[in-house]
């Protein structure tokens, strides 16, 4: 059996990290642009309009700005979290538009417009906040275009009134561009998420194709041997009365065919079980996350060379124990090299009625690892259960 190539796994890990880094970059740029807009307008209000003489206006502007920035951060976090949901799992409209961050952000934006004496600023900030809510397909862009036209009209109206910004074109530019910039950033983030979903779908399809190929090979293998065995037994049945020796030979051949089928099935199953440990750990983490746990996964870069035949069943047993007997809210899986050995760590918070660590599963793991020359240790208190499995780098005899 050929050694699995770790390159696809490392590529997938790099892409996943790239998606996370891109999300942080986009979210940070959006917050920085908002802070820059508030800073410019605050400078204009405090210095250009002499508002620094009134401490109430200064404190109100700063406090409302902090509220708006905090609401923006919370909405960005929720936008990222909801991006992994399917369409039918999207929260209803009242949970999206009437949630505390939305209400706080819209209220702070409105009051900032009042404090700054500019309907242009208030409308731009309200539009920027509402952009962070998940709308239906195409609705956000239509709203942003209409809002941009409305902001230009408000600017023209304000230029003719007592609250004119004068020649401060940069203020108008930041106010008008702010909702458009937020919408563009979220659009780029949605594209990144869609590409990431496509990558994961491609990986799942590849796994399904591999299973279908295995099923086809298993069907061909078993079908061939079963047909031969059936013919040999039928021939032995016909010959058993007139030629018992020939019938015995056919029965012996049928038994040999059974051994061949068993050996072929074992070899085929061995090829199927040869899943690299990074993939095994990623599958375990996905399963735990699907059960509602907050999972941390820490895998060494060269983990694909670890003994999968030995540690793979251990990972599956640990995952089953956490799901059946854990009862907590978080879990941690890790695999790293400790000198001349591989160290697998599985930890979670046991619930108040958890029985994890008291069953026969740990005994089975200890026996399997002990035969290979490894070591198993576990510890438990009220807040944490941890299992550490150490095996030689060569893997021993699984």
């Amino acid at each position: 059996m050929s050694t699995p190539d770790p390159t696809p796994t490392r590529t997938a890990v790099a892409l996943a990290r790239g998606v996370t880094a891109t999300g942080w970059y986009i979210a940070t740029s959006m917050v920085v642009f908002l802070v820059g807009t508030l800073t410019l307008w605050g400078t204009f209000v405090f210095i250009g309009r002499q508002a620094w003489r009134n401490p109430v206006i200064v404190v109100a502007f700063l406090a409302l700005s902090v509220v708006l920035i905090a609401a923006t951060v919370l909405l960005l976090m929720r936008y990222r979290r909801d991006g992994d949901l399917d369409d039918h799992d999207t929260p209803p409209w009242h949970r999206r538009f009437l949630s505390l961050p939305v209400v706080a952000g819209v209220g702070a934006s409105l009051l900032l417009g009042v404090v700054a004496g500019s309907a242009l600023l208030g409308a731009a900030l309200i539009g920027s906040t509402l952009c962070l809510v998940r709308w239906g397909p195409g609705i956000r862009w239509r709203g942003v275009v209409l809002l941009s036209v409305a902001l230009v009209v408000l600017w023209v109206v304000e230029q003719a009134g007592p609250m004119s910004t004068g020649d401060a074109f940069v203020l108008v530019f930041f106010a008008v561009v702010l909702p458009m910039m937020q919408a563009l950033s979220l659009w780029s983030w949605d594209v990144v998420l869609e590409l990431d979903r496509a990558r994961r779908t491609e990986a799942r399809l590849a796994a399904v194709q591999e299973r279908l190929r295995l099923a086809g090979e298993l069907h061909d293998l078993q079908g061939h041997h079963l047909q031969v065995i059936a013919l040999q037994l039928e021939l032995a049945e016909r010959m058993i009365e007139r030629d018992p020796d020939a019938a015995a030979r056919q029965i012996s051949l049928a038994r040999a065919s059974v051994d061949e089928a068993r050996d072929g099935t074992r070899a085929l199953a061995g090829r199927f079980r040869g899943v690299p440990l990074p993939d095994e750990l990623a599958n375990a983490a996905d399963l735990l996350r699907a059960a509602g746990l907050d999972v941390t996964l820490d895998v060494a870069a060269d983990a694909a060379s670890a003994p999968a035949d030995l540690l793979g069943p251990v990972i599956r047993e640990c995952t089953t124990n956490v799901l059946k007997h854990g009862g907590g809210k978080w879990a941690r899986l890790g695999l790293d090299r400790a000198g001349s050995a591989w160290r697998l760590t599985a930890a979670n918070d046991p619930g108040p009625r958890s029985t994890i660590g008291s069953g026969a599963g740990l005994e089975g793991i200890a026996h399997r690892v002990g035969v290979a020359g490894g070591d198993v240790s576990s510890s438990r208190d009220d807040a944490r259960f941890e299992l550490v499995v150490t095996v030689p780098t060569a893997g021993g005899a699984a």
Side-chain angles (χ1 to χ4, degrees):
M1 181 178 65
S2 60
T3 304
D5 184 6
T7 302
T9 301
R10 295 177 182 176
T11 302
V13 172
L15 285 173
R17 292 176 177 173
V19 169
T20 302
T22 302
W24 280 108
Y25 173 78
I26 293 175
T28 303
S29 64
M30 294 173 68
V31 174
V32 168
F33 195 89
L34 175 63
V35 172
T37 301
L38 292 173
T39 301
L40 288 173
W41 274 87
T43 303
F44 172 74
V45 171
F46 297 155
I47 299 178
R49 294 179 177 171
Q50 302 296 315
W52 60 271
R53 300 177 184 275
N54 189 342
V56 175
I57 294 180
V58 175
V59 173
F61 192 93
L62 294 177
L64 292 171
S65 297
V66 171
V67 172
L68 179 58
I69 294 171
T72 300
V73 172
L74 292 176
L75 288 173
L76 285 171
M77 294 172 60
R78 190 175 72 177
Y79 194 91
R80 170 65 181 91
R81 184 179 65 250
D82 293 345
D84 293 331
L85 299 177
D86 297 330
D87 292 338
H88 62 274
D89 293 330
T90 303
W93 69 270
H94 62 276
R95 287 183 57 189
R96 286 180 286 157
F97 293 93
L98 299 181
S99 61
L100 180 60
V102 175
V103 174
V106 171
S109 300
L110 181 62
L111 293 176
L112 278 169
V114 173
V115 171
S118 173
L120 172 64
L121 177 62
L125 295 177
I126 291 175
S128 171
T129 301
L130 294 179
C131 275
L132 303 178
V133 181
R134 285 197 171 273
W135 297 75
I139 296 179
R140 179 189 289 119
W141 276 111
R142 296 187 184 96
V144 167
V145 171
L146 293 176
L147 177 61
S148 299
V149 174
L151 291 177
V152 173
V153 172
L154 282 175
W155 171 57
V156 173
V157 172
E158 284 191 354
Q159 289 297 99
M163 295 300 177
S164 172
T165 57
D167 296 330
F169 176 76
V170 66
L171 297 177
V172 179
F173 174 80
F174 269 77
V176 174
V177 171
L178 178 62
M180 184 70 71
M181 185 268 181
Q182 304 287 60
L184 281 171
S185 299
L186 293 178
W187 172 79
S188 62
W189 177 231
D190 288 337
V191 170
V192 171
L193 289 180
E194 192 62 32
L195 291 174
D196 184 54
R197 278 192 290 266
R199 176 186 61 81
R200 287 182 289 179
T201 300
E202 182 181 5
R204 287 194 295 268
L205 288 176
V208 171
Q209 290 175 348
E210 179 64 18
R211 291 188 178 95
L212 290 175
R213 186 184 65 81
L214 174 70
E217 292 185 13
L218 184 61
H219 175 270
D220 296 339
L221 174 68
Q222 296 289 358
H224 166 73
H225 286 291
L226 289 175
Q227 185 177 11
V228 171
I229 293 170
L231 291 174
Q232 290 169 336
L233 292 177
E234 182 180 357
L235 184 59
E237 184 180 12
R238 292 179 180 180
M239 299 173 62
I240 193 168
E241 293 184 358
R242 66 174 184 270
D243 193 349
D245 293 337
R249 285 195 299 271
Q250 293 298 325
I251 293 175
S252 177
L253 292 174
R255 184 172 58 187
S257 297
V258 171
D259 291 337
E260 291 179 8
R262 182 175 56 193
D263 293 341
T265 303
R266 185 183 296 114
L268 192 61
R271 287 165 52 195
F272 180 69
R273 284 197 303 266
V275 178
L277 281 179
D279 292 347
E280 191 80 58
L281 287 164
N283 293 335
D286 290 340
L287 186 61
L288 293 174
R289 291 190 183 102
L293 277 71
D294 183 14
V295 182
T296 302
L297 187 60
D298 186 12
V299 182
D302 57 343
S305 60
D309 289 343
L310 174 60
L311 292 179
V314 174
I315 294 171
R316 291 190 288 271
E317 179 67 27
C318 292
T319 305
T320 302
N321 286 341
V322 173
L323 291 175
K324 292 178 61 177
H325 309 297
K329 298 180 179 179
W330 61 266
R332 180 184 179 276
L333 297 173
L335 178 63
D336 62 342
R337 189 187 292 269
S340 60
W342 286 101
R343 180 173 56 200
L344 173 67
T345 305
N348 70 294
D349 59 328
R353 300 181 180 179
S354 173
T355 59
I356 191 168
S358 59
L362 289 182
E363 297 178 2
I365 292 176
H367 174 73
R368 172 183 290 270
V369 173
V371 170
D375 181 64
V376 177
S377 63
S378 62
S379 61
R380 174 172 179 168
D381 54 34
D382 294 338
R384 181 184 180 92
F385 172 80
E386 184 175 34
L387 177 69
V388 179
V389 178
T390 305
V391 298
T393 304

